[in-house]
Amino acid sequence: MIKHHPDDNLLIEFSAGTLAFAQSIAVSSHLHFCRHCQQRVDRLTQVGGTLMQEADAVPVSDDLLSQVMDKLDATAEVAPQAARPVGKMPRVIDKLIANYGKAKWEFLTPSLDMARLRTGQKEFEVALHRIKAGGSVAKHDHRGTEITLVLDGSFSDENGIYNEGDFLVREAGEVHRPLASRDAPCICLSVVAAPVRMTGPLTRLLNPFLSFRPQ
Ligand SMILES: [Zn+2]
């Protein structure tokens, strides 16, 4: 059951095509798992198309925006989650991996591997992270926004447990320590807008994100 979704601003920017490509990958991957947000985006795209036809570049006020979102809420019918072959990655991820050869896992710590995905976006690092069953990631905070999407398995941190399809945004300054569930590894997509740093002096060595290499 998906509990964490992209907020309306992200969905609006996504459907308008103004969201950075790197972040769109995360939203699009979420839509692969989430029928509810899929329908919201479909409606937003329709509404956007109609507005474009009816008016020439009329600035959209916050008021209008919230009216539109209310309307969407009122009409949204939440369909049951679509059946999905187990273990199938979102198409956009498959495509990124296929475009640049197989994802190459780099060893970071005994419980964490990472595979970078090249997107051509200089301001973002996009990568897959694999936490071994029962493994943990060193405590770290964020200097920039990080979007995490659970692709397979689940992990938890101080704030809760996150399952397949959950979409999380960590803002600069937030500290957390992800931990994979005991029974299975967890694979996440992460889109980082700026490097993060470890909070303890010793764990600096283990910081998987210190080697930030824009692609
Ligand atoms: Zn959703």
Side-chain angles (χ1 to χ4, degrees):
M1 181 69 189
I2 298 175
K3 287 199 199 123
H4 303 271
H5 306 264
D7 66 17
D8 286 342
N9 286 332
L10 278 172
L11 290 183
I12 289 169
E13 283 197 62
F14 177 79
S15 53
T18 54
L19 192 64
F21 173 63
Q23 294 179 320
S24 298
I25 294 167
V27 173
S28 163
S29 298
H30 174 76
L31 298 182
H32 169 86
F33 294 97
C34 184
R35 177 63 73 91
H36 171 75
C37 288
Q38 230 174 65
Q39 289 181 336
R40 274 178 94 72
V41 166
D42 285 349
R43 288 202 168 77
L44 279 167
T45 309
Q46 284 165 12
V47 170
T50 313
L51 284 177
M52 295 285 268
Q53 280 167 9
E54 283 174 359
D56 297 330
V58 175
V60 179
S61 67
D62 283 354
D63 249 17
L64 178 58
L65 210 56
S66 64
Q67 277 172 29
V68 170
M69 293 318 294
D70 286 350
K71 228 175 238 167
L72 287 176
D73 282 332
T75 55
E77 293 163 35
V78 181
Q81 294 284 319
R84 191 175 57 79
V86 175
K88 187 153 183 348
M89 290 277 177
R91 225 173 345 158
V92 64
I93 304 291
D94 276 341
K95 213 158 169 241
L96 280 171
I97 293 172
N99 278 355
Y100 297 101
K102 251 178 140 240
K104 223 178 96 203
W105 291 102
E106 296 169 34
F107 173 90
L108 293 175
T109 75
S111 47
L112 181 68
D113 296 323
M114 174 171 82
R116 294 167 199 280
L117 297 177
R118 272 199 274 163
T119 63
Q121 293 253 284
K122 288 198 162 52
E123 313 80 15
F124 296 93
E125 187 183 67
V126 181
L128 301 176
H129 284 97
R130 183 171 58 193
I131 318 173
K132 298 224 168 80
S136 67
V137 175
K139 196 171 183 177
H140 60 278
D141 69 4
H142 298 259
R143 271 182 269 172
T145 305
E146 175 180 4
I147 296 175
T148 302
L149 183 91
V150 183
L151 290 169
D152 196 23
S154 65
F155 78 93
S156 57
D157 68 9
E158 297 84 344
N159 300 313
I161 181 156
Y162 312 101
N163 297 300
E164 257 175 45
D166 272 334
F167 183 102
L168 304 157
V169 180
R170 300 272 175 228
E171 298 297 345
E174 285 188 59
V175 180
H176 71 142
R177 184 168 194 270
L179 189 73
S181 61
R182 265 168 208 281
D183 51 334
C186 176
I187 298 180
C188 292
L189 170 75
S190 73
V191 179
V192 184
V196 293
R197 64 188 155 78
M198 290 306 178
T199 46
L202 287 174
T203 50
R204 285 188 69 83
L205 291 170
L206 302 176
N207 189 341
F209 306 102
L210 276 179
S211 55
F212 181 75
R213 275 184 297 193
Q215 333 237 324

